[in-house]
Amino acid sequence: MFILTHMITSFIASAGFGVLFNAPKKSLLKCGFVGMVGWFVYIWLVNWQYDAVISSLIAAFTIAVISQIFARMYKTPIIIFSVAGIIPLVPGGIAYDAMRNFVENDYNTAIQLAAKAFMISGAIAVGLVISEVINQMIRNVQFKSRI
């Protein structure tokens, strides 16, 4: 039940952000699917005691790979799927807690939370970049083999 609840809410969050992002109506379900799979990977890894940073990196990589596949299949820009899919991974709650602790003058906790939010954000960006680099390498190999 725990995983099912997370999957449904992440699907709604991703598809809802697709609506806010003015994604085409035909791609909203796909946006929700991408976010749901990314969040499932994240939750599954966190439940297996992996660090949140590593889990975010792997989940972001998964989201980027699925987004690239969907972009090719449906001839839609990749950013529509990847941005909507990344939304459940964004550490907004941790950043909020960091700012709240700064305001309450609990600087030690605030710095720890801010560092964690910063590392998770960086892991998301690195996951997206790694996927794009691998995609470019595969395209170059395919292009050179045709020549």
Side-chain angles (χ1 to χ4, degrees), residues 33-59:
F33 178 77
V34 171
M36 182 180 69
V37 170
W39 186 250
F40 175 75
V41 169
Y42 175 80
I43 287 294
W44 187 68
L45 290 173
V46 167
N47 283 341
W48 279 89
Q49 307 300 322
Y50 282 90
D51 186 50
V53 176
I54 298 298
S55 301
S56 296
L57 175 79
I58 295 170

Side-chain angles (χ1 to χ4, degrees), residues 6-144:
H6 276 270
M7 290 177 71
I8 290 170
T9 53
S10 61
F11 181 88
I12 292 170
S14 297
F17 194 79
V19 172
L20 291 176
F21 194 57
N22 285 331
K25 288 180 183 176
K26 63 181 181 183
S27 63
L28 290 178
L29 292 177
K30 296 163 193 113
C31 291
F33 178 77
V34 171
M36 182 180 69
V37 170
W39 186 250
F40 175 75
V41 169
Y42 175 80
I43 287 294
W44 187 68
L45 290 173
V46 167
N47 283 341
W48 279 89
Q49 307 300 322
Y50 282 90
D51 186 50
V53 176
I54 298 298
S55 301
S56 296
L57 175 79
I58 295 170
F61 178 80
T62 304
I63 287 169
V65 168
I66 295 171
S67 297
Q68 289 168 358
I69 292 169
F70 279 2
R72 283 190 181 190
M73 283 174 59
Y74 301 110
K75 302 196 184 319
T76 307
I78 187 173
I79 193 165
I80 289 175
F81 303 114
S82 62
V83 169
I86 289 297
I87 290 303
L89 295 177
V90 172
I94 297 171
Y96 172 80
D97 286 340
M99 292 307 296
R100 186 175 49 96
N101 284 305
F102 271 121
V103 171
E104 294 173 350
N105 294 330
D106 186 6
Y107 296 113
N108 288 333
T109 305
I111 288 174
Q112 288 175 357
L113 291 171
K116 186 174 181 180
F118 181 74
M119 289 191 317
I120 289 173
S121 300
I124 292 170
V126 169
L128 293 173
V129 168
I130 288 172
S131 172
E132 181 60 30
V133 167
I134 291 173
N135 185 33
Q136 292 291 326
M137 290 171 53
I138 291 171
R139 282 184 173 179
N140 285 340
V141 168
Q142 289 176 345
F143 178 73
K144 287 179 182 178

